[in-house]
């Protein structure tokens, strides 16, 4: 009986609004995302190259097949994963010769 009441409290959606459980989870996720955004912003400032940053971002958002292919390239070429990401032609934008 008590457990049912507690579940009702956390899962109730008053007037169609989000439940208490949804609000708690949403706040926790947002805090986690903000925690990652700060170091990423600092790294972008340190790298100071939009093409490098875009290429790394596209790798992170790429499908698993592309990621695994680039990881395999890194192993075969015996280079760091970041170097393989920057070298690969599977992920745009292409680097200029100076880069």
């Amino acid at each position: 009986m008590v457990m049912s009441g507690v579940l009702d409290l956390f899962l109730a959606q008053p007037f169609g609004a989000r439940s208490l459980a949804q609000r708690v989870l949403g706040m926790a996720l947002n805090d986690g995302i903000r925690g990652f955004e700060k170091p990423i912003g600092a790294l972008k400032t340190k790298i100071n190259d939009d093409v490098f940053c875009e290429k790394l971002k596209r790798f992170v958002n790429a499908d698993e097949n592309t990621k695994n292919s680039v990881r395999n390239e890194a192993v075969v070429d015996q280079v760091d994963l970041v170097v393989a990401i920057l070298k690969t032609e599977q992920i745009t934008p292409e680097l200029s010769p100076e880069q």
Side-chain angles (χ1 to χ4, degrees), residues 1-12 20:
M1 183 75 147
V2 172
M3 185 63 106
S4 176
V6 171
L7 282 174
D8 287 344
L9 176 67
F10 279 105
L11 300 177
L20 182 58

Side-chain angles (χ1 to χ4, degrees), residues 32-99:
I33 290 170
R34 278 190 225 112
F36 283 114
E37 286 176 345
K38 289 178 184 176
I40 289 171
L43 284 173
K44 283 179 81 172
T45 303
K46 284 183 181 180
I47 293 171
N48 197 28
D49 189 319
D50 292 335
V51 176
F52 281 4
C53 293
E54 184 63 26
K55 197 151 184 154
L56 292 170
K57 179 180 177 184
R58 289 187 184 187
F59 172 78
V60 169
N61 294 326
D63 61 276
E64 284 303 312
N65 291 333
T66 303
K67 289 180 185 179
N68 289 333
S69 176
V70 174
R71 288 180 184 122
N72 289 337
E73 285 179 27
V75 170
V76 169
D77 295 345
Q78 296 180 342
V79 295
D80 189 71
L81 179 59
V82 174
V83 174
I85 294 168
L86 296 174
K87 281 178 33 178
T88 190
E89 295 176 357
Q90 296 180 47
I91 301 171
T92 59
E94 300 255 344
L95 299 179
S96 65
E98 304 87 48
Q99 292 172 316

Side-chain angles (χ1 to χ4, degrees), residues 7-31 33-34:
L7 282 174
D8 287 344
L9 176 67
F10 279 105
L11 300 177
Q13 293 181 321
F15 307 109
R18 296 187 315 164
S19 69
L20 182 58
Q22 288 172 321
R23 290 174 193 249
V24 168
L25 288 172
M27 288 175 55
L29 289 173
N30 285 334
D31 286 346
I33 290 170
R34 278 190 225 112

